[in-house]
Amino acid sequence: MALSFDQVIEKYEPTLGLEVHVELNTKSKMFCGCATTFGAEPNTQVCPVCLGLPGALPAVNAKAIESSIKIGLALNCKISPFNRFARKNYFYPDMPKNFQTSQYDEPICYDGYLDVEIDTDEGKKTFRVEIERVHMEEDTGKSLHVGGATGRIHGADYSLLDYNRAGIPLVEIVTKMVKGTGKYAPEVAKAYVTALRDILRSLEVSDVKMEQGSLRCDANLSLAPINSNTLGTRSETKNVNSLRSVERAVRGEMIRQGNLLESGGKVIQETRHFLEESGETRPGRSKEQAEDYRYFQEPDLLPVAPESKWVEEIRNSLPEKPAVRRKRLQAEWQVPDKEFDAMLNADLLEEVVQTVAAGADPTRARSWWLGEISRLANEAGKSPAELISTVDVATVIKLIEQGELTDKLARQVVEGVINKEGTPQEVIVKRNLKVVSDDSALMKAIEEAIAAQPDTAQRVRDGNIPAAGALIGAVMKSTGGQADAAKVRQLLLKHLGQG
Ligand code: ZN
Ligand code: MN
């Protein structure tokens, strides 16, 4: 009988560890001047240094050091005044040098923390995730396995290698062991990666696109019997490529390990791959121990010794923290907790911020992104931001505010923009969606409505104002929804002696 998640956490306590790799958005690579553009023709952004050719000498990218310090400071880390690179030796075809230039026992930043807030049974609760280290290293190339059913090397006919990514600056952020999360371990893991992504985005040091691999998370997890004071053997689930998957991967691994332990089995220390479809993990290679990498100090690079004056300058230039910014925006926009959380959960905060920055009212901006646009995105199987630009949404909202579009017409404009019929203004012209605000045209429609419902009109004349609703509805109908309802109401009541 398999244990459910709830049964697992009755007996076992999880310990989490999260390793996040971030690709920095520097224009050039970590140790050479090669470009870093995503999606370029394979092997067009390479040179003797990043190909590891004999005699080529690396030099550290100063911008990458600055970005790493920014990340460390934003994560409340200490910045090492003197740190060095090391060679991490292993053979893999996507790594032309046969070692990765990384940092080992001397990381640039260490001893920080990130507080994350999650919903628990007792309301919102903050968990502190301690950061062990933030270190600099370089990315590997990419391999493409051709032939075979799975796209993996097993069963492939041949493999192709693209070294464009080899040498792109990476920062690796490693947490200390996260204990005491109990049944909230999956949520804490997700909240941590989310908060980290938001910080990295606010620092403008990375694209932080999990789906493109510029933010990659490995989740370590072990279980130990509750109150045992021991530590179980951990597994490492690799390259979980969405925020939702982080949560699912931890949950799935807790269930797998719990059932394994319960049946008398042993967890082995290994790398596992997350399967997006099932939410389960499957084994990869057994995990190397640090000593297997034969780390040694990199002889071709000088130590990194950031001056404290520079570090303080960077500290003073850090942007507002995302958590602080969220609180400020919520207060400015006067949004209740529940609705603000809905926007965060839908990952639409940045869209709303940009729409407001383009001149739209915050309440309308939220309602359009979370309502109509999310609905259309859902139908299309895309993310809302892929459908329409924030500038176009702001334009539509401003036209509503100016009375040139009704909500109904605006929905048609948005639909047209999404269908690539042009800008909002072009769609309005093409589909003839202008609001009828011409008084004489509206009066004609009003008189027709009164003629068709003389009894209703008489009730309004006699002072029954709510009865006007039926007449306004008739006018809206006869104008195809293109009339401004407020204006119709005003003209109608005036015409019937109630204005
Ligand atoms: Zn290069
Ligand atoms: Mn690494």
Side-chain angles (χ1 to χ4, degrees):
M1 187 60 193
L3 296 187
S4 67
F5 180 82
D6 289 341
Q7 290 166 323
V8 168
I9 50 128
E10 271 171 31
K11 296 187 161 187
Y12 296 98
E13 176 66 34
T15 299
L16 269 176
L18 295 156
E19 293 173 23
V20 170
H21 283 89
V22 193
E23 249 180 31
L24 298 180
N25 58 2
T26 54
K27 292 205 168 55
S28 58
K29 290 187 180 179
M30 188 74 208
F31 303 112
C32 61
C34 287
T36 54
T37 317
F38 182 81
E41 277 288 295
N43 298 309
T44 54
Q45 297 173 349
V46 292
C47 76
V49 172
C50 54
L51 288 176
L53 300 188
L57 280 174
V60 183
N61 183 331
K63 186 80 189 167
I65 297 176
E66 185 185 321
S67 295
S68 306
I69 293 173
K70 276 187 186 171
I71 295 169
L73 291 172
L75 295 174
N76 308 293
C77 287
K78 299 186 177 101
I79 308 302
S80 158
F82 184 90
N83 56 93
R84 281 179 285 208
F85 284 93
R87 291 188 180 183
K88 182 180 182 180
N89 296 280
Y90 63 100
F91 174 78
Y92 209 73
D94 61 11
M95 205 176 50
K97 299 191 295 192
N98 282 341
F99 62 84
Q100 180 189 33
T101 306
S102 181
Q103 293 194 300
Y104 182 45
D105 49 356
E106 298 175 272
I108 185 160
C109 318
Y110 59 98
D111 275 354
Y113 63 85
L114 179 56
D115 287 334
V116 300
E117 200 180 58
I118 62 162
D119 286 320
T120 70
D121 299 340
E122 298 92 46
K124 284 194 190 289
K125 196 174 163 196
T126 299
F127 287 87
R128 174 157 293 188
V129 178
E130 293 184 305
I131 310 285
E132 166 132 345
R133 55 193 280 136
V134 174
H135 73 247
M136 299 182 280
E137 57 184 37
E138 58 181 334
D139 213 343
T140 59
K142 268 187 193 164
S143 29
L144 178 68
H145 306 296
V146 183
T150 60
R152 298 198 174 271
I153 197 164
H154 305 284
D157 296 327
Y158 58 92
S159 298
L160 297 170
L161 289 161
D162 175 9
Y163 290 119
N164 282 353
R165 200 179 67 178
I168 287 189
L170 280 187
V171 163
E172 181 172 342
I173 301 156
V174 184
T175 67
K176 294 184 184 173
M177 283 190 274
V178 186
K179 298 178 175 217
T181 54
K183 67 173 173 176
Y184 298 115
E187 281 100 330
V188 169
K190 181 187 177 195
Y192 167 76
V193 181
T194 308
L196 185 56
R197 180 202 61 172
D198 292 347
I199 284 178
L200 296 166
R201 185 186 276 154
S202 77
L203 296 172
E204 297 177 356
V205 293
S206 169
D207 297 340
V208 292
K209 288 185 180 155
M210 288 189 91
E211 67 286 359
Q212 280 186 9
S214 53
L215 181 74
R216 313 199 279 267
C217 175
D218 305 336
N220 291 296
L221 185 96
S222 65
L223 291 182
I226 280 181
N227 298 326
S228 68
N229 275 329
T230 57
L231 203 59
T233 305
R234 71 189 160 88
S235 66
E236 179 178 358
T237 304
K238 279 291 201 196
N239 297 342
V240 186
N241 64 6
S242 75
L243 294 170
R244 188 170 158 259
S245 299
V246 173
E247 182 174 347
R248 291 174 72 215
V250 171
R251 181 179 296 272
E253 197 49 19
M254 283 169 74
I255 295 172
R256 184 191 72 88
Q257 289 189 18
N259 278 283
L260 187 58
L261 294 170
E262 199 59 18
S263 63
K266 262 191 177 156
V267 176
I268 42 175
Q269 187 170 331
E270 63 184 353
T271 304
R272 300 183 68 86
H273 296 283
F274 178 65
L275 303 174
E276 196 67 49
E277 308 76 43
S278 62
E280 292 168 348
T281 63
R282 51 147 224 194
R285 61 187 159 89
S286 69
K287 181 69 181 165
E288 290 83 355
Q289 301 289 334
E291 51 270 27
D292 294 335
Y293 290 122
R294 293 167 295 121
Y295 278 101
F296 64 87
Q297 200 184 306
E298 166 60 61
D300 287 342
L301 287 168
L302 288 169
V304 177
E307 282 181 41
S308 60
K309 184 166 165 280
W310 186 43
V311 173
E312 289 317 302
E313 274 170 27
I314 296 173
R315 191 194 301 277
N316 293 329
S317 73
L318 290 182
E320 186 180 23
K321 291 204 159 143
V324 175
R325 175 173 175 256
R326 281 198 295 272
K327 291 229 154 60
R328 175 176 60 78
L329 290 171
Q330 189 179 357
E332 277 176 20
W333 296 346
Q334 302 183 325
V335 188
D337 280 354
K338 207 173 153 210
E339 288 170 37
F340 201 82
D341 286 350
M343 179 174 52
L344 296 180
N345 292 335
D347 206 11
L348 286 170
L349 176 66
E350 294 315 312
E351 278 68 32
V352 174
V353 166
Q354 286 172 29
T355 307
V356 172
D361 164 68
T363 307
R364 286 189 196 265
R366 267 192 307 117
S367 121
W368 276 90
W369 281 106
L370 270 94
E372 183 69 2
I373 301 170
S374 289
R375 188 183 68 75
L376 293 168
N378 220 354
E379 276 177 18
K382 293 186 174 171
S383 74
E386 283 175 287
L387 288 190
I388 186 166
S389 75
T390 53
V391 171
D392 284 347
V393 176
T395 302
V396 170
I397 291 172
K398 282 186 278 183
L399 289 171
I400 298 171
E401 284 167 0
Q402 289 157 11
E404 293 191 34
L405 287 177
T406 59
D407 277 354
K408 188 178 168 203
L409 292 176
R411 281 198 289 278
Q412 294 180 54
V413 175
V414 165
E415 184 194 277
V417 172
I418 290 172
N419 286 342
K420 311 245 182 284
E421 290 167 31
T423 63
Q425 281 87 354
E426 286 165 354
V427 175
I428 289 168
V429 172
K430 277 188 202 160
R431 294 195 179 192
N432 188 26
L433 297 176
K434 264 237 173 312
V435 165
V436 180
S437 56
D438 170 13
D439 285 11
S440 61
L442 287 179
M443 277 317 295
K444 189 166 166 282
I446 287 169
E447 276 160 11
E448 281 167 12
I450 290 170
Q453 303 183 52
D455 296 352
T456 311
Q458 191 52 49
R459 293 217 302 280
V460 177
R461 279 192 201 96
D462 294 343
N464 184 351
I465 306 292
L471 295 168
I472 296 167
V475 174
M476 295 306 291
K477 199 169 174 200
S478 72
T479 54
Q482 284 177 252
D484 174 351
K487 183 141 196 202
V488 171
R489 181 182 167 82
Q490 187 203 344
L491 289 173
L492 176 87
L493 291 177
K494 198 168 166 208
H495 190 67
L496 295 176
Q498 299 293 348

